[in-house]
Amino acid sequence: NAGVTQTPKFQVLKTGQSMTLQCAQDMNHNSMYWYRQDPGMGLRLIYYSASEGTTDKGEVPNGYNVSRLNKREFSLRLESAAPSQTSVYFCASSAGTVEGYTFGSGTRLTVV
Amino acid sequence: GEDVEQSLFLSVREGDSSVINCTYTDSSSTYLYWYKQEPGAGLQLLTYIFSNMDMKQDQRLTVLLNKKDKHLSLRIADTQTGDSAIYFCADLYGNNRLAFGKGNQVVVIP
């Protein structure tokens, strides 16, 4: 099915470990986004990429890095995971304003 | 930064109407959105409204926008059990970014 694909769906990390969350979209969208969702906090923007070759910080970028590998793929890396990064991570993509965003199904990350 | 506020919980009987409210701070908002999140899933776009509109109707959904008060609401008519979810309002701001509210959980009682 067309859309946004995130891998993995679940992950448990030990404090200090690193990992990369993968995201790919097949809708030829220019913009891609990473959000985290925490109970009672809604969604908060970590990083975004307005177009291929550009990335910018969002509201909560500390502890994360991103790579816009090509138009389809936008990865999120945790270099040294901390328990405060336990969250559900959503990738989204967008072609423009009216269409809004298309979201992936999320990655549930637990850092112990 | 952008700030979008929502109440957290609503319980409604099947067949009744649900009304979810949202306030936002950015007076230059051009588009405002409603998203639905079912358990264990990502967010799904329900509807949107352009800032020069007061109301938009889309089947069972009615969106009302009061720009003066920066207030947005979503009314779901004839609420069904499949409408049980978390609903997020979102405000479009610079560089095609969305600011989301904290979400409003709707529980439909059969």
Side-chain angles (χ1 to χ4, degrees):
Chain A
N1 291 337
V4 178
T5 303
Q6 290 185 238
T7 55
K9 292 191 184 302
F10 300 93
Q11 183 72 49
V12 178
L13 289 179
K14 293 183 179 178
T15 297
Q17 286 185 317
S18 62
M19 81 161 294
T20 299
L21 280 64
Q22 306 288 351
C23 175
Q25 52 93 6
D26 58 5
M27 296 169 287
N28 203 36
H29 285 171
N30 286 322
S31 303
M32 297 185 74
Y33 309 83
W34 277 105
Y35 284 85
R36 59 178 289 173
Q37 183 180 24
D38 302 292
M41 300 292 290
L43 276 78
R44 292 181 291 170
L45 182 64
I46 305 171
Y47 270 93
Y48 68 102
S49 171
S51 61
E52 185 179 356
T54 69
T55 61
D56 285 286
K57 294 178 180 179
E59 187 185 353
V60 288
N62 290 345
Y64 305 95
N65 283 299
V66 290
S67 296
R68 183 74 182 267
L69 304 168
N70 47 56
K71 193 171 187 179
R72 290 186 64 246
E73 298 172 287
F74 187 39
S75 61
L76 178 72
R77 182 159 179 86
L78 287 70
E79 290 291 351
S80 178
S84 60
Q85 294 178 304
T86 293
S87 188
V88 181
Y89 291 85
F90 287 102
C91 177
S93 69
S94 172
T97 55
V98 173
E99 294 89 356
Y101 292 4
T102 300
F103 280 85
S105 58
T107 295
R108 186 173 295 274
L109 175 68
T110 302
V111 183
V112 298
Chain B
E2 307 302 315
D3 193 20
V4 181
E5 296 290 335
Q6 291 182 252
S7 54
L8 295 181
F9 184 82
L10 175 68
S11 172
V12 61
R13 292 205 175 274
E14 189 174 14
D16 288 350
S17 293
S18 312
V19 179
I20 306 165
N21 295 297
C22 171
T23 58
Y24 60 98
T25 58
D26 185 5
S27 59
S28 63
S29 297
T30 52
Y31 289 93
L32 295 126
Y33 298 82
W34 283 102
Y35 281 82
K36 176 184 180 182
Q37 184 182 32
E38 295 181 1
L43 278 70
Q44 171 193 358
L45 177 65
L46 277 181
T47 188
Y48 65 91
I49 188 166
F50 188 48
S51 59
N52 69 351
M53 299 168 66
D54 297 324
M55 185 182 84
K56 179 179 180 181
Q57 187 143 5
D58 185 356
Q59 298 182 349
R60 292 191 297 121
L61 305 178
T62 303
V63 179
L64 296 177
L65 175 60
N66 181 329
K67 280 197 76 173
K68 174 176 169 289
D69 295 336
K70 299 190 185 68
H71 183 265
L72 181 73
S73 68
L74 174 69
R75 178 176 179 270
I76 305 173
D78 188 24
T79 309
Q80 304 297 306
T81 54
D83 295 325
S84 290
I86 302 175
Y87 291 81
F88 292 92
C89 62
D91 166 22
L92 185 72
Y93 67 108
N95 219 358
N96 197 33
R97 290 172 289 175
L98 285 179
F100 288 86
K102 292 180 172 53
N104 189 310
Q105 177 144 23
V106 173
V107 174
V108 181
I109 303 165

